Amino acid sequence: MTLQQLKYVIEVANRGSMNEAAKRLFISQPSLSNAIKDLEEELNITIFERTNKGITLSKEGAEFLGYARQVTEQAELLESRYLNAKPSPQHFSVSTQHYAFAVNAFVHLVNEYGQDEYELALRETKTHEIIQDVKSQRSEIGILYLNEFNSKVINRLLKDANLKFTSLFTAQPHIFISVHNPLAKQSIVTIDQLQDYPYLSFEQGEYNSFHFSEEILSTLTHPKSIRVNDRATLFNLLIGLNGYTISTGVLSADLNGNEIIPVPLDCDETINVGWICHQNAALSKLALEYIEALHQAISD
């Protein structure tokens, strides 16, 4: 097993394609494929599942990838320290539901640990895609929530994908509204008080099941309902239409200004927000630093 082979595996996992990885590595696709096959035979494991639709990481491949990243990171540190070599770009990806604290933590990560060159990704996306991104190692970390209603379905998907959930915090439900909304002066609001205002929620695409909704109480009917795809649009509609959405109450004035405020919602539900990763994979240094940054952003 060579360091070069480990770098090949990491590049293929990052690109999700043998052909794209070969282009980035400036070698032929057959040479890359043979190098990885030789490694799999030597270790007696299957790192990538190969089908006519492409390649995906196997469960043991996901675990191997975590260790491979650690080894290459240490090798780059040695080269940088003793050979004065230029370290290769850092790689890290996270997929998340639409949380401001996840963006704050990402900003902190880049400012504190970004080198001269890096390839990072922050994907605010749909719930089902978060699970798929982490399963396929497109993202190392995923951020989503569990509650009494969705936990059975989500936990089954996580188990099938060999993923684990680690809680960050448990929140009481709040609504996000404009400071100019008539409900902004309330110390707490009820579901009945919201009936006259547009309800805003995030589109979940083909997996638009209630269990994948980013908002709790997803089975309730709303006289006025609007679905959106991104957080900026949702916040603009909160202001422009006096709409509301249901979330954790954790908001960032640095990113979102002072036009949007949280108000507690009168209900018995709780929201358990956490991060997911592969069950047996060793996390990279950047992933561990990002998790620390998440805790700090939530605390702030």
Side-chain angles (χ1 to χ4, degrees), residues 18-158:
M18 199 75 72
N19 187 44
E20 288 300 316
K23 291 178 183 177
R24 297 276 301 194
L25 293 165
F26 302 103
I27 62 173
S28 68
Q29 182 173 336
S31 296
L32 177 59
S33 181
N34 288 335
I36 291 177
K37 283 181 180 177
D38 289 344
L39 180 60
E40 290 177 318
E41 289 175 3
E42 179 185 350
L43 300 178
N44 197 29
I45 64 171
T46 299
I47 300 173
F48 294 104
E49 303 282 0
R50 298 159 178 84
T51 68
N52 54 8
K53 293 183 179 180
I55 60 170
T56 58
L57 272 172
S58 67
K59 287 184 179 180
E60 54 191 356
E63 182 177 1
F64 176 81
L65 183 62
Y67 289 108
R69 282 180 171 145
Q70 287 190 336
V71 171
T72 56
E73 284 172 1
Q74 293 300 315
E76 287 163 8
L77 286 173
L78 284 171
E79 290 174 353
S80 178
R81 175 68 177 83
Y82 294 106
L83 299 179
N84 199 28
K86 183 180 179 181
S88 63
Q90 296 169 295
H91 293 274
F92 173 69
S93 298
V94 56
S95 295
T96 175
Q97 292 177 331
H98 299 78
Y99 297 124
F101 66 82
V103 180
N104 273 348
F106 194 83
V107 170
H108 174 81
L109 181 76
V110 176
N111 286 337
E112 289 293 319
Y113 301 100
Q115 299 173 346
D116 291 337
E117 295 184 23
Y118 49 76
E119 294 183 17
L120 310 177
L122 172 63
R123 302 184 181 92
E124 285 192 331
T125 188
K126 303 171 179 65
T127 303
H128 190 271
E129 290 180 8
I130 293 170
I131 297 172
Q132 292 303 308
D133 282 352
V134 180
K135 176 183 177 181
S136 65
Q137 283 280 0
R138 187 179 186 217
S139 289
E140 198 172 351
I141 297 287
I143 302 172
L144 46 75
Y145 83 90
L146 298 177
N147 71 344
E148 186 177 359
F149 176 73
N150 74 1
S151 60
K152 196 170 187 179
V153 170
I154 299 297
N155 279 327
R156 186 178 71 244
L157 288 174
L158 296 180

Side-chain angles (χ1 to χ4, degrees), residues 97 126-129 131 145 149-150 153-154 156-157 202-204 206-215 218:
Q97 292 177 331
K126 303 171 179 65
T127 303
H128 190 271
E129 290 180 8
I131 297 172
Y145 83 90
F149 176 73
N150 74 1
V153 170
I154 299 297
R156 186 178 71 244
L157 288 174
F202 288 108
E203 175 69 44
Q204 294 298 321
E206 64 178 302
Y207 294 95
N208 209 28
S209 159
F210 293 134
H211 297 96
F212 294 110
S213 173
E214 283 196 42
E215 302 79 23
S218 57

Side-chain angles (χ1 to χ4, degrees), residues 273-288:
V273 180
W275 54 276
I276 61 173
C277 69
H278 270 273
Q279 188 77 244
N280 302 315
L283 294 177
S284 68
K285 178 184 176 182
L286 285 184
L288 293 172

